[in-house]
């Protein structure tokens, strides 16, 4: 592959959005609508142009300012959006870093979306049950993307760094994701039965029972966000995490659906007038993401969350999606680890585990970066 001379400059959000339309693998986190959800960050849009003036790549950058200083952390969620089969990493990163240095960015954090490796759900389940392995990366892969591996090697050579694979979740987007395939090995879309066949026997039986039982699955509107949030608060209290406010979900629902109706869908599983479970799904391009879920402790034998998963599979297939993402998992294969149960649960639902390239850091002001990392470590301890 030959090097391509690229220049970087700011572009309008609409130009970035038009480029995304030609890149169906791009994440919803690159939509300008997502910047509205992350209101504490300032959005900037960059385009890479070759000598003919053709736009070859683009990105939504989210800037987080440092209090009382003019420096920012520049975060590229699931970006840049580029065809990495055609572009060399250095041709993209070098002009971008030059732009950031001139813009007083102290740290660039890049969350590239490419998938390096994947592991079949059944293989991961078996390894968790059998023991004998410490980390996912020790298992034989379902697929390895040699171009993504080369991309990671090139970033290391350029001085970008990332946290090593570990058992626990690090800050930011998890490197390992659980995804239900909605297409077969030949790339052709599966039908609902084909998707359910990837689940283990118990999960498949419970999902079918939930979908055909007494539950009513409803799609809600923005007026129903408080219904979701009531279940979400119950779930947060039960599971011991700090939840987001109602306003966050209202903004997310409105912003994403103003981008394109149906981008964000709110679901409820209702039994005799009572909400038993709720979920939020985001769909964009070839991907669908199960981003938030909540449930009641009542009527567990109705398997209300699985009724919602069944509906999300149906809707994601209708949207032409290639996968339904169920969020992050740990790389651990130690069945005694506190995160192992989450991986086991998601793989019973037919989720393969994919290892993305993860988030990479490039300090542009080393003293400020060191101070920022100390602050983040201190915050994470509390």
């Amino acid at each position: 592959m030959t090097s391509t001379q690229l220049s970087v400059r700011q572009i309008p959000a609409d130009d970035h959005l038009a480029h995304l339309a030609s890149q169906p693998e791009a994440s919803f986190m690159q939509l300008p609508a997502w910047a509205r959800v992350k209101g504490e960050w300032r959005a900037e849009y960059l385009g890479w142009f070759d000598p003919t003036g053709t736009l070859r790549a683009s990105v939504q950058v989210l800037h987080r300012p440092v209090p009382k200083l003019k420096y920012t952390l520049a975060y590229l969620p699931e970006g840049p959006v580029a065809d990495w089969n055609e572009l060399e990493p250095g041709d993209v990163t070098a002009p971008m870093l030059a732009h950031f240095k001139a813009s007083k960015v102290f740290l660039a954090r890049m969350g590239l979306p490419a998938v390096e490796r994947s592991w079949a759900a059944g293989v991961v389940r078996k390894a968790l049950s059998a023991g004998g392995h410490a980390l996912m990366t020790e298992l034989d892969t379902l697929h390895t993307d040699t171009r993504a591996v080369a991309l990671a090697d090139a970033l290391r050579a350029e001085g970008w760094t990332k946290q090593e694979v570990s058992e626990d979740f690090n800050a930011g987007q998890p490197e390992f994701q659980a995804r239900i395939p909605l297409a077969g090995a030949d790339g052709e879309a599966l039908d609902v039965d084909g998707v359910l066949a990837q689940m283990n026997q118990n999960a498949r039986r419970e999902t079918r029972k939930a979908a055909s039982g007494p539950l009513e699955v409803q799609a809600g509107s923005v007026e129903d966000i408080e219904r979701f949030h009531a279940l979400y608060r119950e779930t947060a209290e039960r599971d011991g995490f700090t939840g987001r406010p109602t306003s966050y979900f209202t903004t997310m629902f409105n912003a994403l659906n103003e981008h394109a109706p149906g981008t964000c869908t709110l679901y409820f599983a209702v039994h005799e007038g009572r909400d038993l479970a709720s979920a939020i799904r985001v769909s964009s391009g070839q991907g669908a993401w199960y981003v938030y879920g909540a449930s009641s402790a009542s009527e567990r034998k109705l398997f209300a969350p699985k009724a919602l998963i069944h509906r999300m599979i149906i809707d994601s297939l209708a949207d032409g999606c290639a996968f339904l993402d169920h969020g992050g998992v740990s790389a651990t294969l130690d069945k005694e680890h506190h995160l192992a149960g989450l991986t086991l649960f998601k793989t019973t639902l037919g989720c393969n585990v994919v290892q993305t390239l993860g988030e990479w850091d490039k300090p542009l002001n080393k003293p400020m970066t060191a101070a920022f990392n100390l602050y983040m470590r201190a915050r994470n301890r509390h």
Side-chain angles (χ1 to χ4, degrees):
M1 184 179 299
T2 58
S3 180
T4 304
Q5 183 181 355
L6 299 174
S7 60
V8 166
R9 64 174 182 265
Q10 289 184 337
I11 59 174
D14 285 348
D15 289 2
H16 172 63
L17 196 56
H19 180 245
L20 292 184
S22 70
Q23 303 289 327
E25 295 182 356
S27 166
F28 72 94
M29 286 187 281
Q30 274 296 307
L31 294 173
W34 189 245
R36 290 176 53 193
V37 181
K38 301 298 180 181
E40 67 274 22
W41 299 71
R42 173 177 59 82
E44 177 187 34
Y45 301 93
L46 300 178
W48 282 257
F49 296 85
D50 65 20
T52 69
T54 302
L55 180 68
R56 301 293 299 276
S58 70
V59 71
Q60 173 174 259
V61 184
L62 300 180
H63 288 274
R64 188 69 179 262
V66 177
K68 299 182 181 179
L69 298 175
K70 294 182 179 180
Y71 285 86
T72 67
L73 163 69
Y75 178 46
L76 287 65
E78 302 286 318
V81 179
D83 185 343
W84 296 105
N85 291 310
E86 294 184 354
L87 298 176
E88 289 289 350
D91 294 335
V92 174
T93 57
M96 177 184 73
L97 293 175
H99 171 81
F100 284 157
K101 287 178 182 178
S103 305
K104 289 197 169 183
V105 169
F106 75 88
L107 173 66
R109 176 163 292 168
M110 184 167 57
L112 290 168
V115 171
E116 274 190 271
R117 302 173 181 88
S118 63
W119 294 269
V123 171
V124 175
R125 284 200 306 272
K126 183 177 179 180
L128 275 169
S129 299
H133 295 281
L135 294 172
M136 201 86 60
T137 48
E138 298 172 15
L139 300 179
D140 291 336
T141 62
L142 177 66
H143 178 71
T144 299
D145 187 323
T146 56
R147 179 57 186 160
V149 173
L151 180 55
D153 290 341
L155 292 175
R156 289 188 187 93
E158 292 175 19
W160 292 80
T161 60
K162 66 185 287 291
Q163 292 179 317
E164 293 302 315
V165 172
S166 69
E167 293 185 327
D168 294 310
F169 289 137
N170 296 317
Q173 294 297 315
E175 183 174 348
F176 291 80
Q177 304 279 335
R179 294 179 176 177
I180 296 179
L182 303 179
D186 59 1
E188 293 296 316
L190 299 171
D191 59 16
V192 175
D193 287 339
V195 176
L196 296 184
Q198 299 172 122
M199 298 181 175
N200 81 344
Q201 187 175 0
N202 283 340
R204 184 166 58 251
R205 176 183 58 82
E206 292 169 359
T207 302
R208 290 190 188 281
K209 179 180 178 180
S212 61
L215 295 167
E216 179 189 358
V217 175
Q218 303 172 354
S221 67
V222 69
E223 285 77 19
D224 297 305
I225 292 293
E226 183 51 50
R227 284 174 62 192
F228 163 80
H229 206 259
L231 280 175
Y232 177 71
R233 291 193 303 270
E234 178 182 338
T235 305
E237 183 175 349
R238 183 175 66 243
D239 294 348
F241 66 87
T242 301
R244 295 184 181 275
T246 308
S247 58
Y248 178 87
F249 299 103
T250 301
T251 300
M252 179 172 65
F253 189 91
N254 284 335
L256 290 174
N257 287 321
E258 285 172 14
H259 158 69
T263 300
C264 184
T265 310
L266 174 63
Y267 300 97
F268 296 94
V270 183
H271 181 243
E272 297 179 349
R274 182 179 180 185
D275 295 335
L276 295 184
S278 187
I280 297 175
R281 180 190 70 113
V282 175
S283 173
S284 182
Q286 293 180 350
W289 292 263
Y290 177 5
V291 289
Y292 288 98
S295 63
S296 169
S298 302
E299 303 288 355
R300 288 187 177 273
K301 290 185 179 180
L302 294 178
F303 307 114
K306 287 186 170 69
L308 299 184
I309 290 171
H310 187 270
R311 174 64 177 272
M312 283 190 278
I313 289 170
I314 291 172
D315 289 353
S316 299
L317 287 170
D319 289 341
C321 297
F323 62 84
L324 174 59
D325 188 291
H326 278 244
V329 292
S330 166
T332 188
L333 291 175
D334 176 4
K335 60 185 176 182
E336 303 301 324
H337 192 276
H338 68 101
L339 291 172
L342 181 65
T343 304
L344 184 61
F345 169 72
K346 291 182 179 182
T347 53
T348 63
L349 295 174
C351 292
N352 293 341
V353 176
V354 303
Q355 181 185 11
T356 67
L357 282 176
E359 295 187 341
W360 296 76
D361 285 357
K362 181 74 170 179
L364 302 179
N365 182 312
K366 291 184 178 180
M368 288 195 67
T369 299
F372 171 77
N373 289 334
L374 282 173
Y375 164 75
M376 291 301 296
R377 282 195 290 270
R379 192 184 76 167
N380 292 335
R381 285 196 295 267
H382 295 86

